[in-house]
Amino acid sequence: MPSAQGQAYYLNFSKQTISVPNRTFYVEQVVDGRPGKPVTGTVYRGLQNQPAVVFFRQGLEPELTSLLRQQLPSRPADHPVVLCIRQFRVGEVLNGFTEQASADVAADVYIRLTDGYHFVSSVADHTSTRALESTAIHVPHLALLLNRCLMQLANVNWEKAAERPARTYAQLATDRPPAALRPAILSVAQPRAGVYYFFESFLANRPDTTVRLRLDTLRLQSVGWEGTALLRASAHDADGERVSTRDIWGFSDGRHLYLRQKYPSRGQNMYYQLVPQRDFYTFIGPAPLNVMAANQRALGYNVKPGGMTGKPAPNRQEDDTGQPVAYALDMRTGQTALFPPPGQPQRADSAFIYVYRPLGGLEEPQRILLADKEIGQLKPGQYVELACPHYGSPVRLSLGKVGGPTLLAVPNVATANYVKLVANSALSPWQLMPARQGEAEVDALERPRKP
């Protein structure tokens, strides 16, 4: 596998220490419960920042099990638990002469009882550090996060955990926590309108409703973004004082959710619409710096796109820096990452999208394009069903012509997706609708009309 994906960088925890004061448990086993068991990340090494894929030499399960058994040995009165890893990831973002090293760890904890394994708690943490050379920071970061996650078990109720349904050992990797533990934002039909200062207030669906937002659109015509509009915003509190956008995690307009991220090449804070999946959200954002393409360009090679002249590069890279790609919002840590995760096997699953025009307005049919190809024309009161078979791939819907008003989104494969065409919308004619509302409106279009 390393040769297929480039160089390999192996994690080594032999010099790391885990300490959990006053613990009442020991970890008897670590289970890899990451969907698709993706690689742990990609790091950049040497003067040329050559990419290397992050691995465990012996595998995540045996190495972390050995680490935690050694650092936290079992004692007679301890509760035996299984740590089921749901997220274990490192990343590096290059920014001029420095690098931003990040790490995320999330896990579900199960206690072993005589009848099986009972869910105890979900634990998660994130850390990030800027450095000139960040690769050596990742192992201490991951050990620190494991330590912090285990310390979150200090006040758990072991007796209450025993009342939850038992799982077999084989079920743990694919088990999901009880529905009662789902964050509020995933359980409401529509989010409350307001501003979220923190990820935690987003999860709890508790925005600040006193802040006034003024939205502005930025029309992009760069490669891949033709016809799309990104949102900028200014905010003022109840007293009229300006609120820094750096203090705003995201916002809701009462129907849709938006996450703040910085658009790299412009250095501006933009707001990207979150699209609900089964138990998380996706959004379309700019691809990170393609380091290999940047290296080839620095060496004078002809790298697509950009129109450079010079010698053709060996294994020439298509420079996708800044082009639209799919990201996922991790509901445990609040961090974002490419979706699907690099190294995860491509999953075969189809999403169905219903594009519809409500009654009223101009009778003139409007051309609908999917991936820049016309798939039909809609008059008021009509709809079209689209099947998108590529799981996790962004869908590009355009109106009228190539480069016309465009929607980029990752559709939900767990439910039908509904997109309404609203010609007089100030932001975009494409309106992603909540599934229940969209279904009701499409059903209403199908009912016989009274003469």
Side-chain angles (χ1 to χ4, degrees):
M1 182 161 60
S3 60
Q5 301 189 41
Q7 301 180 41
Y9 177 75
Y10 293 99
L11 300 171
N12 182 354
F13 287 88
S14 62
K15 297 182 180 180
Q16 302 306 308
T17 300
I18 306 292
S19 176
V20 184
N22 303 316
R23 65 183 171 94
T24 57
F25 65 90
Y26 72 96
V27 178
E28 66 175 13
Q29 186 67 43
V30 174
V31 170
D32 190 350
R34 299 173 299 164
K37 295 179 173 52
V39 297
T40 305
T42 300
V43 298
Y44 300 97
R45 311 190 69 195
L47 295 177
Q48 296 300 322
N49 287 317
Q50 293 298 314
V53 182
V54 181
F55 295 100
F56 289 87
R57 286 191 181 276
Q58 306 301 324
L60 180 148
E61 291 183 354
E63 292 197 34
L64 291 188
T65 298
S66 176
L67 170 70
L68 295 177
R69 284 180 179 177
Q70 180 185 50
Q71 297 289 316
L72 305 174
S74 64
R75 300 166 301 190
D78 285 343
H79 299 284
V81 302
V82 169
L83 192 67
C84 190
I85 301 294
R86 306 299 185 190
Q87 183 67 266
F88 203 84
R89 179 177 62 208
V90 298
E92 293 180 4
V93 176
L94 305 185
N95 184 14
F97 295 103
T98 62
E99 302 174 3
Q100 189 76 25
S102 63
D104 301 271
V105 172
D108 291 330
V109 181
Y110 297 82
I111 182 173
R112 176 177 57 78
L113 299 175
T114 55
D115 61 340
Y117 297 84
H118 298 252
F119 175 73
V120 175
S121 178
S122 291
V123 295
D125 209 337
H126 164 82
T127 190
S128 180
T129 300
R130 188 175 295 279
L132 291 176
E133 171 54 44
S134 61
T135 302
I137 298 175
H138 294 306
V139 168
H141 268 181
L142 291 170
L144 173 67
L145 296 185
L146 278 172
N147 211 133
R148 288 179 181 174
C149 286
L150 293 173
M151 291 183 70
Q152 294 172 28
L153 300 176
N155 298 313
V156 299
N157 188 326
W158 301 104
E159 289 72 24
K160 186 174 181 179
E163 298 172 0
R164 298 192 178 109
R167 300 285 187 260
T168 66
Y169 182 81
Q171 291 176 316
L172 298 186
T174 57
D175 188 36
R176 295 181 179 275
L181 299 178
R182 284 167 60 87
I185 195 65
L186 288 173
S187 303
V188 297
Q190 289 187 324
R192 296 177 62 195
V195 164
Y196 304 106
Y197 291 112
F198 307 103
F199 174 61
E200 290 74 18
S201 59
F202 163 77
L203 291 179
N205 190 30
R206 293 179 180 172
D208 184 339
T209 59
T210 66
V211 173
R212 293 180 292 107
L213 279 177
R214 187 178 68 185
L215 300 178
D216 184 25
T217 56
L218 177 65
R219 304 284 174 181
L220 298 181
Q221 292 300 327
S222 51
V223 176
W225 292 97
E226 297 91 345
T228 60
L230 296 184
L231 287 180
R232 295 179 292 189
S234 59
H236 294 81
D237 62 21
D239 297 325
E241 295 294 325
R242 187 179 181 87
V243 178
S244 173
T245 54
R246 291 177 298 179
D247 296 332
I248 298 176
W249 184 90
F251 73 90
S252 165
D253 61 8
R255 177 180 293 172
H256 304 114
L257 297 164
Y258 297 87
L259 167 73
R260 178 179 64 82
Q261 296 275 282
K262 184 166 287 188
Y263 193 92
S265 64
R266 296 173 178 268
Q268 295 175 306
N269 288 307
M270 301 292 179
Y271 293 86
Y272 299 89
Q273 184 174 345
L274 295 172
V275 176
Q277 305 298 325
R278 180 168 58 179
D279 53 6
F280 65 101
Y281 293 89
T282 56
F283 67 96
I284 303 299
L289 174 68
N290 187 318
V291 177
M292 294 183 69
N295 287 344
Q296 291 184 350
R297 184 180 293 110
L299 293 172
Y301 289 115
N302 184 0
V303 180
K304 294 182 178 180
M308 289 186 62
T309 59
K311 50 190 175 181
N315 301 316
R316 184 170 58 175
Q317 294 293 309
E318 181 80 24
D319 189 0
D320 58 354
T321 302
Q323 295 182 25
V325 294
Y327 289 85
L329 172 64
D330 192 314
M331 300 300 285
R332 298 168 183 265
T333 64
Q335 301 306 304
T336 62
L338 292 173
F339 177 77
Q344 178 173 311
Q346 193 69 9
R347 178 174 139 197
D349 209 340
S350 293
F352 293 90
I353 304 175
Y354 295 86
V355 180
Y356 65 100
R357 284 186 66 184
L359 293 170
L362 298 176
E363 287 292 326
E364 181 181 355
Q366 294 184 324
R367 298 174 67 227
I368 309 300
L369 289 78
L370 174 64
D372 294 337
K373 295 181 180 180
E374 182 176 337
I375 47 88
Q377 299 187 17
L378 293 183
K379 292 183 178 181
Q382 294 181 334
Y383 71 91
V384 62
E385 180 190 70
L386 308 176
C388 303
H390 304 295
Y391 174 75
S393 297
V395 168
R396 181 183 180 89
L397 287 170
S398 302
L399 183 63
K401 61 180 181 179
V402 174
T406 297
L407 171 70
L408 290 169
V410 175
N412 190 343
V413 298
T415 186
N417 300 262
Y418 295 89
V419 181
K420 181 196 290 189
L421 276 173
V422 184
N424 59 353
S425 172
L427 298 179
S428 171
W430 301 100
Q431 298 292 309
L432 281 165
M433 304 301 293
R436 186 176 301 176
Q437 182 179 348
E439 181 180 17
E441 293 183 355
V442 169
D443 286 347
L445 297 179
E446 291 185 314
R447 297 191 193 113
R449 303 177 195 172
K450 295 182 179 180

